[in-house]
Amino acid sequence: CRVGAIAPVDVFVEPGPTGCDPGQTQWFQALNIATKIARGQIEILSRVHIVPAGEKVSPSAASLCEKLGIRPFTYGLSCSVVYDNGTCFDPAVLDLSEDDLIEKFQTGVKAVASLCLALGFPT
């Protein structure tokens, strides 16, 4: 989480151990997060919604994400057009399943077998 970034999804902190030492309980209390001390570390008691989707990440939410090692956002590229030899295609042409590939391979094998039989050259 970066401060000021727009959250593409809702960000939650799940209940459970945080790995933070008990000396940091005041920090969690300042964020209105219910905690308890268990086995020498701070444990969050309930699920906390820290950043709603579509809103800017606050400095406190960003520091909480950093402290707990939460990386809720992913970034990447999306293909909008496929360009090949001067022709543009819809990206759906790249969506081939394993069954599609097997079918295309079998079609090619049948074509080769038919050509061999027509030429009288058994394989």
Side-chain angles (χ1 to χ4, degrees):
C1 294
R2 283 190 340 239
V3 176
I6 304 295
V9 295
D10 289 318
V11 180
F12 294 93
V13 175
E14 299 298 331
T18 62
C20 297
D21 64 278
Q24 300 178 16
T25 55
Q26 290 180 349
W27 190 79
F28 285 96
Q29 288 173 351
L31 296 174
N32 294 323
I33 298 175
T35 61
K36 70 176 183 177
I37 307 297
R39 297 185 186 145
Q41 64 179 335
I42 297 173
E43 185 173 314
I44 295 175
L45 298 178
S46 61
R47 189 176 197 211
V48 181
H49 191 199
I50 59 171
V51 183
E55 291 190 13
K56 288 186 177 183
V57 177
S58 68
S60 59
S63 63
L64 180 62
C65 286
E66 184 178 332
K67 185 177 286 287
L68 298 179
I70 298 172
R71 302 206 187 286
F73 309 145
T74 58
Y75 301 95
L77 299 173
S78 63
C79 181
S80 58
V81 176
V82 176
Y83 179 81
D84 183 38
N85 292 328
T87 307
C88 294
F89 298 99
D90 187 67
V93 300
L94 300 176
D95 294 335
L96 293 174
S97 68
E98 188 174 327
D99 293 334
D100 293 334
L101 293 174
I102 290 171
E103 181 183 331
K104 290 183 183 296
F105 179 76
Q106 287 176 340
T107 301
V109 169
K110 289 177 186 176
V112 169
S114 297
L115 177 66
C116 289
L117 287 173
L119 294 175
F121 186 77
T123 55

